[in-house]
Amino acid sequence: MGYQKQPDFGTPASRSDVPVTLTIDGREVTVPEGTSVMRAAAQIGGDIPKLCATDMVKSFGSCRLCLVEVEGMRGTPASCTTPVTEGMVVKTQTPRLEKLRRGVMELYISDHPLDCLTCSANNDCELQDAAADVGLRDVRYGYNGANHLGQADDTSNPYFTFEADKCIVCSRCVRACDEVQGTLALTVDGRGFASKISAGTVEDDFLSSECVSCGACVQACPTSALMEKSVKQHGKPERSVVTTCAYCGVGCTFRAEMRGEQLVRMVPWKDGKANRGHSCVKGRFAWGYANHQDRITTPMIRDSIDQPWREVSWAEAISYTAGRLKDIRDQHGARALGGITSSRCTNEETFLVQKLVRGGFGSNNVDTCARVCHSPTGYGLKTTFGTSAGTQDFDSVEHSDVILVIGANPTDAHPVFASRMKRRLREGAKLIVIDPRRIDLVRSPHIQAQHHLPLQPGTNVAVLTAMAHVIVTEGLVDTQFVQERCEVDAFEDWARFVADETHSPERLEPVTRVPAEDLRAAARLFATGGNGAIYYGLGVTEHSQGSSTVMAIANLAMATGNIGRPGVGVNPLRGQNNVQGACDMGSFPHELSGYRHISDAETRALFEADWGVTLDPEPGLRINNMLDAACDGTFRAIYIQGEDILQSDPDTKHVVAGLEAMDCVIVHDLFLNETANYAHVFLPGSTFLEKDGTFTNAERRIQPVRRVMDPANGYEDWQVTQLLANAMGLGWDYGHPKEILSEIARLTPTFAGVTWERLCDQGSLQWPVNEANPDGAPVMHVDGFVRGKGHFVVTEYVPTDEKTGPRFPLLLTTGRILSHYNVGAQTRRTANTAWHPEDLLEMHPTDAENRGLNDGDWAKLASRKGETTLRVKVTERVAPGVVYTTFHHPETQANVVTTDYSDWATNCPEYKVTAVQVMPSNGPTDWQEGYTNRSAKSRRIVTEVSR
């Protein structure tokens, strides 16, 4: 599409269903009650000048440009703050209004730099447009008096600048920070002529402030006072393409704004149903990795991992790879081969990888990163509800009265959704946080959780069972819902189990370390507070009882009747952008797309007829099983698309042993990641900006990904997989991802009504999209559960085998931070490192003092599995006895210390509970000190070969 601004109606839309008819400049218009006169005029093509008004925030009425005349009303009210009334007659253009507006504009312009021709916002500036709209040609006041010109620019933020002399103090940035983002980092300091926008710190700059660089202020600014540095560097964009972000599971829609082949900026799309025009620092700004010098764009091969890489043509790389795979299959059998699909790639690319493994390799040895994050979600929700996905759309939170967040940190991991959640909390919804760490949601501006239950890591099931005990024994169960919608016998078994006194908060307090009265109060609030919604993350799933916890959550929702309508539900906050889609596409070794078991003959026959192959009816190996089998000598080759298992998977030493034992490791990625150190083939990948396809976010929303620029490596990822498949004799002939999507829809009941054309026309669809739900299903289980009746499951608390003791007295838990994503391969290659240049170990002051550690000191982190070193951050965010770190930097190798314990049902690793000891250290290990040099050496090798 060509470049054009997104329409701005000046004020937010009214949600009223009551129509109001009025006349504006002789034209009749009908709008919902509560609509502003400004918005009503804009909806019929009227253009009332404005500066302080934008439809992303509430009306303010400060700039006095949008004045109108209303029949029967004294004065000239601001159209942005004046609601429509039945029969109202409005005039937006009269000599009186022209004179008033021109006078206002003269005042603005008399205190503004007149450098329009050299300004980066020239022809894209609302102040410039407003001056033209009111016919301003001359300024009577001159420019020699007191003014704000010549103030120093704030360039501290790596992505945007603040030029104070171009600021008109319209407060749009302040209101966007408050109302859209919810950080409240900005303010108007001073009064009258002395008023100015302030970041509220001693330094008064954006980088040192509480600003989270979401970009809402930049997007709201009507001048170039707040402007992206990329626009200043490359110039105004000339075209745009709407696509979907490739970071977290929120799935924000963006306009990629281009100048030639140069991406100038990413602007959140107002019509995006997941983000509603908002963004975070990663999606908005951290796209520079696409052109980073570390990116590999030419295929490379080597016969053994102790040899240097050799750059080759695509033809040679594909021929070499297919030959190695066929030789291994012929010598060791089909089950010696396998693959790992990517939760960062599109649905279509993921579908083809599992199709290649099943139909080309001849085995079901395919898995995905969901194995190490949300596989318990699939198992637990399918068992209780009948489908392996969350129940609500993100809009649902606007109807919640009580929000329970367990094992998730939305402000860091899912910040755009967190902003919507915070808005609802500021409106009066109540909050319960169950987390061993005091996350930002517990207390932040204008938000405070009613209950924070800082449980002992690993005791999720015990806490939820204790809450259920209170609900059952105090008669707080929604008996009507249970009787009508659930299996009554299963409920009665569960109710008897949780009602036992051994599961009371008092009896379990020594286990959970949550005060019994706090837990009782939280349970009562959830059961009686109105619409109750549960949101959870990896702090639930990455445990030895991950599946049990998911089922315990489902039990709680069913017992309180919080399923099947807006404002309630069980909502897993998916980590990676397409982890839901990767699961949907049949990436697990036991399931084909749509979560149908490979042993089902009817389902298997459907795929066999379509693909023209015979499928193995036996489930294949999970990731950890592949590594085990490699060490045993029975698994020989693996194709890994878009995953870095050496950095992301547990027990790093075991991962290394498995990779070293294989005859052929194929890594298909953007960068030479940690796993590539053990690869024999490197196939360059393409970024989300370089491909077409679809992603499916955490709310089951299928959204189009559109190609913005040509792939730097020459191919989209699905094309690379097709080249490999055809070299192995499969004869695929897809010409566009829409053809793959048609195959997915043909073979997957939940996608039956999905087409590329529909997605491009409607923007998105939420599966299931089929005959029963032709337009999708924003809320699941409305009239009944997918499995028929909801199934309660008894979830006995079983303590983890990972125990603390004299050698390892502390518990380590891990998580993410706002500025980085997953293993950091993308964000570490952007300016996001300004906020988080290294992983830190959070320790409670008592634990730090006992070990002679101060803030910033180096410390050795050791477990039964291994050790690493990192700097300490002393904080009361963690409880005594608990330490916390992130895993974004490979230098840290946090997973060197994690164990091989895993969820009993799915083998999801127990990242969140590792017994450790922390002690002073003189600095990083030799391995860590050598990491940077090794990485630089790898880059030099690639660069030298390229020459």
Side-chain angles (χ1 to χ4, degrees):
M1 59 187 291
Y3 182 78
Q4 56 184 2
K5 287 185 177 181
Q6 299 178 67
D8 189 335
F9 294 96
T11 61
S14 169
R15 298 187 179 183
S16 173
D17 295 326
V18 179
V20 172
T21 300
L22 68 156
T23 302
I24 301 178
D25 294 332
R27 292 177 292 175
E28 193 173 90
V29 58
T30 300
V31 294
E33 185 180 50
T35 300
S36 70
V37 169
M38 174 180 284
R39 188 177 183 95
Q43 290 183 200
I44 56 173
D47 187 16
I48 301 176
K50 63 183 187 298
L51 284 175
C52 72
T54 179
D55 57 15
M56 289 296 290
V57 295
K58 298 173 184 175
S59 57
F60 196 55
S62 70
C63 75
R64 312 313 293 171
L65 265 188
C66 69
L67 306 176
V68 293
E69 293 181 1
V70 179
E71 192 174 283
M73 186 180 293
R74 296 178 60 186
T76 51
S79 62
C80 65
T81 57
T82 303
V84 299
T85 59
E86 185 65 36
M88 176 184 277
V89 177
V90 180
K91 292 182 179 180
T92 70
Q93 301 293 333
T94 69
R96 179 189 182 194
L97 293 173
E98 290 174 4
K99 181 179 179 180
L100 289 170
R101 290 172 182 163
R102 197 173 296 123
V104 170
M105 278 306 306
E106 283 187 88
L107 293 171
Y108 277 115
I109 297 301
S110 69
D111 193 18
H112 198 80
L114 298 182
D115 59 353
C116 293
L117 292 181
T118 57
C119 178
S120 55
N122 187 32
N123 294 320
D124 190 19
C125 172
E126 293 181 44
L127 183 68
Q128 191 179 53
D129 294 341
D133 287 344
V134 303
L136 184 65
R137 297 294 178 264
D138 189 26
V139 177
R140 293 171 290 171
Y141 307 116
Y143 303 96
N144 296 322
N147 58 58
H148 298 90
L149 305 181
Q151 297 182 79
D153 296 344
D154 178 1
T155 61
S156 61
N157 188 285
Y159 294 118
F160 59 83
T161 60
F162 175 53
E163 298 183 38
D165 59 357
K166 293 183 178 179
C167 177
I168 61 173
V169 199
C170 63
S171 297
R172 275 164 60 162
C173 59
V174 177
R175 290 179 286 140
C177 189
D178 293 358
E179 299 174 28
V180 180
Q181 168 56 30
T183 298
L184 291 88
L186 304 178
T187 188
V188 178
D189 187 24
R191 301 183 65 183
F193 185 78
S195 63
K196 65 174 185 176
I197 301 300
S198 171
T201 63
V202 174
E203 296 83 358
D204 203 22
D205 65 38
F206 276 79
L207 187 61
S208 63
S209 75
E210 294 181 352
C211 169
V212 293
S213 297
C214 67
C217 60
V218 179
Q219 188 175 355
C221 183
T223 70
S224 64
L226 284 162
M227 175 67 72
E228 298 95 337
K229 291 181 178 178
S230 57
V231 176
K232 290 179 175 290
Q233 178 182 359
H234 302 298
K236 179 183 173 182
E238 59 188 14
R239 64 184 177 92
S240 64
V241 180
V242 176
T243 190
T244 304
C245 181
Y247 277 117
C248 77
V250 174
C252 297
T253 308
F254 280 88
R255 273 172 38 130
E257 300 194 344
M258 308 289 295
R259 189 172 184 86
E261 279 289 295
Q262 176 64 53
L263 179 57
V264 174
R265 64 184 172 195
M266 296 286 282
V267 180
W269 182 240
K270 290 181 181 180
D271 293 334
K273 294 182 175 63
N275 58 316
R276 302 293 184 186
H278 191 34
S279 60
C280 79
V281 62
K282 294 188 286 290
R284 184 71 157 85
F285 296 116
W287 39 264
Y289 67 88
N291 299 313
H292 196 273
Q293 63 179 2
D294 288 353
R295 187 167 170 198
I296 308 299
T297 57
T298 303
M300 300 188 297
I301 61 176
R302 57 185 177 182
D303 293 326
S304 64
I305 62 174
D306 58 354
Q307 295 179 350
W309 286 107
R310 179 167 63 90
E311 282 191 346
V312 297
S313 66
W314 272 107
E316 183 178 351
I318 294 298
S319 175
Y320 176 88
T321 305
R324 291 287 297 268
L325 291 172
K326 287 189 284 190
D327 288 347
I328 293 168
R329 184 181 59 189
D330 293 344
Q331 184 175 354
H332 300 284
R335 294 184 181 179
L337 280 65
I340 299 175
T341 71
S342 176
S343 293
R344 292 187 288 131
C345 289
T346 65
N347 286 319
E348 294 73 21
E349 290 162 343
T350 301
F351 184 82
L352 288 194
V353 171
Q354 64 88 32
K355 180 179 180 179
L356 171 62
V357 173
R358 299 186 200 278
F361 295 1
S363 75
N364 290 311
N365 295 335
V366 63
D367 211 348
T368 189
C369 86
R371 173 67 54 210
V372 299
C373 61
H374 268 287
S375 49
T377 287
Y379 182 92
L381 295 186
K382 188 170 185 179
T383 301
T384 52
F385 296 163
T387 186
S388 302
T391 63
Q392 315 293 120
D393 62 2
F394 289 146
D395 288 347
S396 176
V397 75
E398 297 174 5
H399 305 279
S400 299
D401 301 307
V402 181
I403 299 171
L404 192 160
V405 177
I406 175 170
N409 186 5
T411 56
D412 279 21
H414 304 87
V416 172
F417 174 69
S419 294
R420 301 184 69 181
M421 182 186 290
K422 288 193 292 184
R423 187 184 311 157
R424 179 61 189 143
L425 293 171
R426 291 196 301 272
E427 291 170 348
K430 303 295 190 292
L431 175 65
I432 302 166
V433 174
I434 304 177
D435 199 285
R437 188 166 170 262
R438 196 184 72 233
I439 61 174
D440 285 346
L441 280 178
V442 172
R443 181 177 295 173
S444 58
H446 299 284
I447 292 171
Q448 182 167 345
Q450 275 62 42
H451 303 284
H452 174 213
L453 310 184
L455 75 171
Q456 176 79 344
T459 63
N460 286 328
V461 171
V463 167
L464 292 169
T465 301
M467 290 183 70
H469 173 91
V470 175
I471 290 168
V472 169
T473 58
E474 295 188 6
L476 304 179
V477 172
D478 186 336
T479 54
Q480 182 178 351
F481 181 92
V482 171
Q483 292 289 331
E484 294 176 356
R485 300 282 302 277
C486 303
E487 295 174 351
V488 176
D489 289 347
F491 166 75
E492 291 176 350
D493 289 343
W494 172 80
R496 280 192 295 271
F497 166 76
V498 299
D500 191 282
E501 187 58 27
T502 59
H503 299 133
S504 70
E506 290 75 17
R507 292 285 289 276
L508 288 174
E509 184 174 330
V511 173
T512 66
R513 298 190 183 177
V514 175
E517 277 308 305
D518 291 351
L519 195 149
R520 283 187 176 275
R524 292 166 186 150
L525 174 60
F526 184 76
T528 64
N531 286 338
I534 303 175
Y535 294 89
Y536 70 88
L538 305 186
V540 159
T541 55
E542 291 179 343
H543 287 277
S544 58
Q545 281 202 285
S547 292
S548 297
T549 307
V550 173
M551 292 187 289
I553 288 171
N555 292 338
L556 207 62
M558 289 188 291
T560 55
N562 281 308
I563 289 289
R565 64 182 185 277
V568 300
V570 174
N571 308 280
L573 294 174
R574 302 285 193 167
Q576 297 200 59
N577 57 298
N578 200 38
V579 69
Q580 179 69 59
C583 298
D584 298 341
M585 293 300 101
S587 293
F588 288 132
H590 66 293
E591 289 177 332
L592 291 160
S593 62
Y595 305 96
R596 290 162 296 167
H597 205 279
I598 190 68
S599 64
D600 182 71
E602 185 177 343
T603 298
R604 205 167 57 251
L606 179 70
F607 283 82
E608 289 175 336
D610 198 276
W611 293 351
V613 299
T614 299
L615 298 178
D616 187 343
E618 292 297 321
L621 300 176
R622 298 168 174 175
I623 294 173
N624 57 309
N625 302 137
M626 295 184 207
L627 296 169
D628 291 341
C631 293
D632 293 341
T634 57
F635 186 85
R636 299 285 182 144
I638 191 166
Y639 171 34
I640 305 172
Q641 184 185 72
E643 293 296 335
D644 188 0
I645 61 172
L646 189 58
Q647 190 179 342
S648 64
D649 283 35
D651 193 357
T652 301
K653 292 179 181 178
H654 179 57
V655 178
V656 168
L659 292 171
E660 282 184 325
M662 296 185 202
D663 298 328
C664 184
V665 174
I666 306 152
V667 170
H668 181 177
D669 216 312
L670 301 174
F671 306 103
L672 278 174
N673 57 27
E674 299 306 295
T675 305
N677 291 329
Y678 299 89
H680 306 87
V681 178
F682 187 89
L683 302 177
S686 54
T687 71
F688 79 108
L689 297 167
E690 301 166 333
K691 61 179 68 173
D692 288 312
T694 59
F695 292 151
T696 306
N697 74 350
E699 49 172 359
R700 296 170 284 104
R701 189 179 300 281
I702 310 159
Q703 301 184 99
V705 179
R706 295 181 178 88
R707 182 162 157 170
V708 174
M709 60 182 71
D710 292 336
N713 64 341
Y715 292 103
E716 299 180 29
D717 288 332
W718 67 269
Q719 292 174 309
V720 174
T721 303
Q722 177 164 270
L723 288 172
L724 182 56
N726 289 340
M728 297 192 71
L730 295 185
W732 296 353
D733 62 350
Y734 303 106
H736 187 275
K738 64 183 179 182
E739 298 168 16
I740 308 170
L741 182 59
S742 294
E743 182 175 318
I744 294 167
R746 185 166 70 240
L747 295 172
T748 313
T750 50
F751 276 63
V754 178
T755 66
W756 177 255
E757 292 73 19
R758 281 195 73 185
L759 291 174
C760 290
D761 179 57
Q762 296 178 229
S764 65
L765 291 164
Q766 288 179 265
W767 69 256
V769 187
N770 49 27
E771 188 174 344
N773 303 276
D775 296 318
V779 176
M780 294 281 284
H781 318 298
V782 174
D783 299 315
F785 289 95
V786 170
R787 70 183 306 280
K789 296 282 189 178
H791 180 63
F792 283 83
V793 178
V794 171
T795 53
E796 185 77 54
Y797 167 64
V798 179
T800 174
D801 289 334
E802 180 72 348
K803 300 291 194 298
T804 57
R807 282 187 63 203
F808 303 106
L810 304 173
L811 283 179
L812 169 71
T813 187
T814 62
R816 297 177 179 175
I817 199 165
L818 171 65
S819 54
H820 282 298
Y821 168 74
N822 204 33
V823 296
Q826 293 151 274
T827 49
R828 280 185 286 105
R829 292 175 170 91
T830 70
N832 279 28
T833 52
W835 291 282
H836 191 75
E838 61 183 326
D839 293 318
L840 300 172
L841 183 70
E842 293 187 4
M843 292 188 74
H844 190 272
T846 301
D847 292 325
E849 184 179 0
N850 288 342
R851 289 160 177 78
L853 289 166
N854 297 307
D855 203 64
D857 286 353
W858 282 98
K860 181 168 76 172
L861 175 70
S863 74
R864 296 177 180 90
K865 283 293 182 179
E867 62 184 51
T868 186
T869 61
L870 64 171
R871 295 184 194 274
V872 169
K873 181 177 182 180
V874 179
T875 174
E876 292 187 349
R877 275 179 173 263
V878 291
V882 176
V883 293
Y884 169 90
T885 191
T886 51
F887 52 92
H888 302 305
H889 294 265
E891 300 95 324
T892 306
Q893 283 290 309
N895 283 323
V896 166
V897 302
T898 53
T899 70
D900 56 1
Y901 293 128
S902 62
D903 174 50
W904 62 270
T906 66
N907 279 133
C908 184
E910 190 167 48
Y911 291 116
K912 305 305 182 189
V913 186
T914 303
V916 296
Q917 178 59 287
V918 179
M919 61 197 76
S921 171
N922 292 326
T925 63
D926 292 341
W927 184 94
Q928 289 172 297
E929 286 187 331
Y931 174 80
T932 302
N933 293 330
R934 289 195 302 275
S935 297
K937 182 180 178 182
S938 296
R939 287 197 299 272
R940 283 199 302 273
I941 290 171
V942 174
T943 303
E944 289 164 5
V945 172
S946 298
R947 292 198 197 93

